[in-house]
């Protein structure tokens, strides 16, 4: 679609979202020194520092390296209290190429605070250095490790969940499917919390109408992320990448599916919800009006971002009590 035909979402976003955009206009971030991935990651990490400030204090936070078949994977345990009723694994977003435990620290702290459960962030290997399905397999192995060593770390892995935003939402659901299909038991998966994920659509109405420099989700951006994760010759139909090519009719834990109104990926969330709903699988869909992709980061300034995190947390707690 020609750029001039796309919807000008910046004229439609909410006052809260406009406030974030104005913050960026008033506080211009330095551009990456070059177009290589280390420079892009450094710029992304620096940008997220402001948004991660003033997060809730935890009873304890521990960084633990877990040995996998791919090497060491760093994880971070957030415990809001000494003993918790469940463990929630979190996979960060960043288009498979950006992000780490620090860039999503506030989100994980809020989840731990609102669920009163242990949250374990998984710093999976980024692309293009690591390709599909390494991040999924790493996450599954981390889950196995903590299930086998729960007593040592003083955590409860009898009841677990997975959560993630953007690419992390895809990786979270893909990990759940991977564990199911390979019959790997890591505890009872009570729920999956998915914020504005991409689940395998290659084209859609929202992908045509939305996306721009403000969210880094133009068509060429999405193709770059895919190529880094899958490689340019990768299989776009692979069942742990295009999750709609996996079996979404059975043995899927309850899913909280959240979307942003002016996100080019919103149709991925709607399609996932309608698929699960059609097969009578437990799920809840909620669209957050006036928001752009990645709005979850801006809870320091946007109440709706905090609400979205709390809504997912409440859904998880509800499933624990069912």
């Amino acid at each position: 679609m020609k750029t001039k035909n796309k919807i000008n979402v910046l004229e439609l976003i909410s006052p809260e979202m406009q406030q974030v955009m104005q913050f960026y206009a008033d506080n211009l971030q330095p551009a990456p020194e070059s177009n290589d991935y280390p420079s892009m990651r450094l710029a992304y990490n620096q940008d997220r520092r402001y948004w991660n400030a003033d997060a809730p204090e935890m009873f304890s936070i521990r960084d633990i390296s877990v040995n996998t078949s791919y090497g060491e994977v760093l994880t971070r345990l957030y415990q809001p209290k000494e003993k918790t009723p469940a463990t929630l694994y979190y996979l960060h977003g960043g288009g498979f190429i950006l992000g780490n435990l620090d860039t999503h620290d506030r989100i994980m702290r809020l989840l731990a605070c609102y669920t009163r459960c242990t949250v374990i962030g998984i710093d999976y290997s980024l692309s293009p250095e690591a390709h599909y399905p390494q991040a999924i397999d790493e996450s599954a192995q981390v889950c196995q490790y903590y299930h086998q060593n729960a007593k040592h770390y003083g955590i409860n892995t009898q009841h677990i969940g997975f959560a993630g935003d953007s690419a992390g939402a895809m990786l979270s659901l893909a990990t759940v499917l991977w564990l199911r299909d390979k019959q790997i038991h890591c505890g009872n998966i009570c729920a999956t919390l998915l914020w504005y994920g991409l689940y395998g659509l290659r084209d859609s109405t929202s992908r045509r109408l939305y996306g721009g420099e403000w969210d880094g989700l133009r068509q060429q951006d999405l193709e770059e992320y895919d190529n880094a994760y899958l490689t340019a010759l990768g299989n776009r139909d692979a069942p742990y990448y295009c999750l709609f090519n996996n079996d979404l009719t059975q043995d899927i834990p309850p899913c909280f599916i959240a979307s942003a109104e002016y996100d080019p990926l919103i149709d991925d969330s709607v399609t996932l919800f309608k698929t699960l709903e059609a097969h009578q699988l437990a799920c809840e869909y909620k669209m957050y009006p006036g928001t752009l992709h990645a709005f979850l980061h801006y809870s320091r300034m946007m109440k709706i971002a905090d609400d979205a995190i709390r809504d997912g947390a409440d859904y998880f707690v509800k499933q624990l009590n069912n």
Side-chain angles (χ1 to χ4, degrees), residues 87-91 120 122 142-143 146-147 157 160-164 172:
T87 296
L88 183 62
Y89 295 95
Y90 194 87
L91 295 165
I120 300 181
I122 302 176
V142 166
C143 182
Y146 279 111
H147 186 61
T157 61
I160 65 173
F162 285 85
S172 291

Side-chain angles (χ1 to χ4, degrees), residues 27-36 39-44 46:
N27 300 271
L28 294 177
Q29 303 296 310
E33 293 183 0
S34 68
N35 290 328
D36 60 42
S39 297
M40 293 168 59
R41 289 166 185 161
L42 180 60
Y44 183 78
Q46 291 173 338

Side-chain angles (χ1 to χ4, degrees), residues 85 138 250:
E138 285 179 344
Q250 61 182 336

